[in-house]
Amino acid sequence: QTIVYVDKDAPAGGDGSSWSTAFKYLNDALSDAGIGLGEHHLWIAEGTYYTDEGDLYSNDDQNSKYVIPYTVTAVIGGFVGTEGSVDDADPAKYLTTLSGLIFEEYGASGIGSSYLLETEAGSSALLIKGFTITNSSDRSGCLINISNATDRVQTTFEQCDFLDNESTQTLIITSTSDSVLFRNCRFERCQTSGGYLIQYGNFETCYFNQNNSHYSMLYRPGTVDRCFISDNTTSTSFSLIYQPDNVFNSLLYRNVAGGRGIISASNTQLLHSTFIDNYNYQYNYSEIS
């Protein structure tokens, strides 16, 4: 494995071979790692990294995005910029943000890149860990877009916070094979005005709070396990969670669905889960339909 170092505060012109010669921009590091052979791990120091930074895109390019090449098997944030071990990363202390809000420098909010993150197809699993991830767009899959053609067999998002994201369509699209896993992630105050919040995927020990989606918050997820789901809403007559494969050990508290129940289930395993003070607007549907 080759470690590639990225530090927002580094001077331009680094080659990423150490913290002292780190790449300044994440897209430059991804581009360089895509040329090399073998597996690459990217270690990212605290700071906010925008998709339009570096040599790959021009400034303010709304087509700018992060494309993780098949040679990269781990992208990890939460470093201060001196560590020698991945175990020393602390994303809660050293906030590392991947942002598509490329017009923030002008004081504009709510306008971002078309897509924030995609992956290249490859046979090795990919870990993305320790980031705050944010964007606003009118495109479907504007935050994460992992289709069957680009799915990395197993992509895991771990300890990632998805905060205040917006889309006029679906926010996050993952592979229909449900090989994408979200573990220990937070989804808070995200909203869509014309689609689902997340399509497919598996969710383990995740926290969903104050999200609003036009259609279902979770559309055909694989497994929802040990999740806390509270104060989320759908704005149309769709269930909050549509046709999951499994819902285990989860708490659903004070959610509001436009209709069709909190969970619309078919061939679903629903075990050891608790429903408290949930509500749906269509009187002829129970919490689980």
Side-chain angles (χ1 to χ4, degrees), residues 53-88:
E53 296 174 326
D55 295 332
L56 198 59
Y57 298 100
S58 60
N59 189 46
D60 302 334
D61 185 352
Q62 286 189 275
N63 291 316
S64 61
K65 58 188 174 183
Y66 296 122
V67 180
I68 301 177
Y70 72 94
T71 54
V72 173
T73 56
V75 183
I76 301 173
F79 294 93
V80 70
T82 58
E83 294 87 350
S85 170
V86 70
D87 296 331
D88 295 330

Side-chain angles (χ1 to χ4, degrees), residues 44-47 76-80 83 86-97 129-132 158-161 163 184 186:
I44 319 296
E46 62 180 331
I76 301 173
F79 294 93
V80 70
E83 294 87 350
V86 70
D87 296 331
D88 295 330
D90 187 350
K93 185 175 182 180
Y94 304 116
L95 187 65
T96 312
T97 301
K129 180 179 179 181
F131 293 98
T132 296
E158 185 171 333
Q159 288 180 263
C160 290
D161 294 337
L163 309 178
N184 300 332
R186 294 167 56 210

